[in-house]
Amino acid sequence: MSESCALSFAAICQPMNEQSEMEVPVVNFGKIGVIRCRRCRAYVNAFVKWRSSGRKWQCNLCSAMNEVPDVYQSPLDGQSGRRVDLLERPELCNSSYEIIAPDEYTIRAPQSPAYMFLIHVNTKMVQSGALQWILDCILACVDGLPGEERTRIAFGTYDSKIHVYSMKQGAKMPQMLTIPDVEDPIMPAPWDDIFVVKETFKDMVNVLLEKLGEMFLETTDEGNCMGSAVDLMCTITQQIGGKLSVFNWGRPNVGKGVLVDRAAALPSQEPERLHELQLGKKREVEDYYVKAVDATKYQLSIDLYQFADHEFCDLGILREMCLFNGGDLRFYPAFRNSVHGTMLYQDLRRSLTRETGRSSETAKAHRG
């Protein structure tokens, strides 16, 4: 069908579908190890074929023949050629199943659930009302973040400088630490003073979220050092990883990853060329692609909430920061408080409260 109509086909895989009517079965292969194809590394599944009286199985993806471990062998039905224990093996009678991964599948021991929030606090973010929507939503959701007493949390803000917030035992208020050198930012405090256990510093986190809007209420700073700020947050969180939510207005204009207005040279009456500019694969700046790759090394997922007036914010480059690491991009063009505020709140709330997988591996299975 694909060849006859000359159209691209794609399959959408949605792990942890909350609307599923059935519970996804969990399989533990135990001491025999996870059964996979020796050639293409596909997992044994409901669509493989059994050969040689059950002593071998044929991969449904690459057709390679594989040996079946002795303890996993089963007689075959004479008529259908299927295993007689088919219905007793969830991995052989379901289209989806989860595997208890053995130690060799993990890069490191499972880490605590972790959330980092990096917020642009320039004039437009404050005056538009977006900052308050962000803070209100985080405050409403922070107590319900998964992990309970294990959950870690960190906050950073930026304009023409970077600000992180240190929380120490015995202090009544978080301490704002400012990093003015955005070309080569350094860690202003031990990482675990910034990336703190939420339950231990619950009151201090709430105070910060309640006061942060007031701290920048009179700001006149139009700077944007997002590239440098993301680099610093990655350094702070690399010991554990987690989810980094970045809230950015416009284009970075100072520090690392500065973006110029590439659309300025295009005639305004040629929207096709502007469209090509946004979707083009040519990278004028490599920084955000590199950040996306580096985030995977730290087991860090980056969500970007991008805001704009009517200016060109270069999503064609900024979107790359969410690639490869399971991050999402949400765009609010010509942001207006009355129109987009509730949408922003709901998008962020969904991201913080949805069921989330960590350190997972996805496999494909299909007929033929």
Side-chain angles (χ1 to χ4, degrees):
M1 183 176 179
S2 176
E3 294 177 357
S4 63
C5 66
L7 292 176
S8 299
F9 279 72
I12 298 175
C13 180
Q14 185 176 0
M16 302 180 186
N17 181 9
E18 296 173 0
Q19 298 178 350
S20 175
E21 297 180 357
M22 64 169 287
E23 192 77 20
V24 178
V26 179
V27 176
N28 188 347
F29 287 99
K31 294 182 179 180
I32 65 173
V34 179
I35 299 178
R36 305 180 68 175
C37 175
R38 60 179 175 81
R39 179 189 293 171
C40 72
R41 306 305 294 161
Y43 295 84
V44 68
N45 60 79
F47 308 115
V48 304
K49 295 179 180 179
W50 302 93
R51 308 297 189 193
S52 303
S53 300
R55 295 189 299 273
K56 294 183 179 182
W57 63 277
Q58 185 176 17
C59 178
N60 59 306
L61 297 183
C62 70
S63 300
M65 297 298 295
N66 298 273
E67 298 290 335
V68 179
D70 292 342
V71 295
Y72 196 75
Q73 291 180 12
S74 170
L76 304 183
D77 180 82
Q79 294 183 341
S80 66
R82 297 180 178 180
R83 293 171 56 118
V84 297
D85 68 344
L86 187 70
L87 298 180
E88 300 173 11
R89 298 279 188 180
E91 68 273 21
L92 303 182
C93 59
N94 290 277
S95 58
S96 298
Y97 69 96
E98 294 185 354
I99 300 172
I100 301 296
D103 291 341
E104 58 265 27
Y105 279 70
T106 58
I107 299 175
R108 57 184 179 181
Q111 302 294 310
S112 303
Y115 296 84
M116 294 72 66
F117 301 95
L118 181 60
I119 308 171
H120 193 191
V121 288
N122 74 337
T123 305
K124 293 179 180 178
M125 184 71 87
V126 175
Q127 293 180 352
S128 68
L131 176 60
Q132 198 57 52
W133 281 105
I134 294 166
L135 297 175
D136 288 347
C137 185
I138 298 173
L139 183 60
C141 297
V142 69
D143 287 342
L145 294 177
E148 298 176 352
E149 70 278 358
R150 299 185 300 116
T151 304
R152 284 187 176 268
I153 195 167
F155 295 91
T157 54
Y158 64 96
D159 37 41
S160 60
K161 304 179 182 67
I162 306 172
H163 320 277
V164 294
Y165 300 86
S166 172
M167 304 182 195
K168 296 182 178 181
Q169 292 280 9
K172 295 182 179 180
M173 291 284 293
Q175 180 184 7
M176 183 173 74
L177 306 175
T178 300
I179 302 98
D181 183 3
V182 295
E183 295 293 341
D184 187 21
I186 60 173
M187 188 96 74
W191 71 269
D192 50 357
D193 282 354
I194 302 169
F195 203 11
V196 299
V197 177
K198 175 179 70 78
E199 194 65 24
T200 304
F201 295 93
K202 179 179 178 180
D203 293 339
M204 212 175 294
V205 168
N206 290 340
V207 169
L208 177 62
L209 290 170
E210 291 169 356
K211 300 295 184 181
L212 200 55
E214 299 176 8
M215 292 165 59
F216 295 95
L217 190 59
E218 303 297 329
T219 184
T220 57
D221 197 320
E222 295 291 344
N224 184 335
C225 64
M226 183 184 75
S228 300
V230 170
D231 275 357
L232 183 62
M233 291 301 285
C234 286
T235 302
I236 293 171
T237 60
Q238 66 183 356
Q239 303 291 335
I240 295 178
K243 177 193 282 288
L244 171 60
S245 299
V246 182
F247 305 87
N248 181 67
W249 191 293
R251 296 188 311 275
N253 55 28
V254 292
K256 301 178 181 179
V258 169
L259 298 179
V260 299
D261 187 357
R262 295 191 292 156
L266 297 181
S268 59
Q269 63 271 25
E270 295 188 21
E272 293 83 4
R273 292 182 62 186
L274 179 60
H275 184 70
E276 292 175 0
L277 186 66
Q278 286 279 32
L279 298 181
K281 296 183 179 179
K282 182 181 178 181
R283 296 189 185 94
E284 300 291 336
V285 176
E286 292 280 347
D287 296 64
Y288 299 98
Y289 175 83
V290 172
K291 294 182 200 310
V293 175
D294 287 344
T296 64
K297 301 175 184 177
Y298 308 139
Q299 296 188 334
L300 179 68
S301 172
I302 303 178
D303 287 351
L304 175 61
Y305 298 78
Q306 178 66 37
F307 303 83
D309 278 334
H310 300 284
E311 77 269 29
F312 177 73
C313 60
D314 217 334
L315 277 184
I317 293 178
L318 292 179
R319 66 181 178 180
E320 294 189 324
M321 193 166 62
C322 307
L323 293 176
F324 315 123
N325 53 56
D328 292 324
L329 169 65
R330 295 175 176 85
F331 183 41
Y332 307 93
F335 183 88
R336 284 189 294 164
N337 195 8
S338 59
V339 176
H340 301 101
T342 303
M343 181 191 305
L344 168 61
Y345 188 98
Q346 292 174 346
D347 287 346
L348 179 54
R349 181 180 181 278
R350 170 66 176 160
S351 175
L352 297 178
T353 59
R354 69 184 300 180
E355 188 173 1
T356 303
R358 295 174 175 83
S359 302
S360 62
E361 182 174 340
T362 302
K364 301 176 181 178
H366 62 77
R367 296 182 185 274

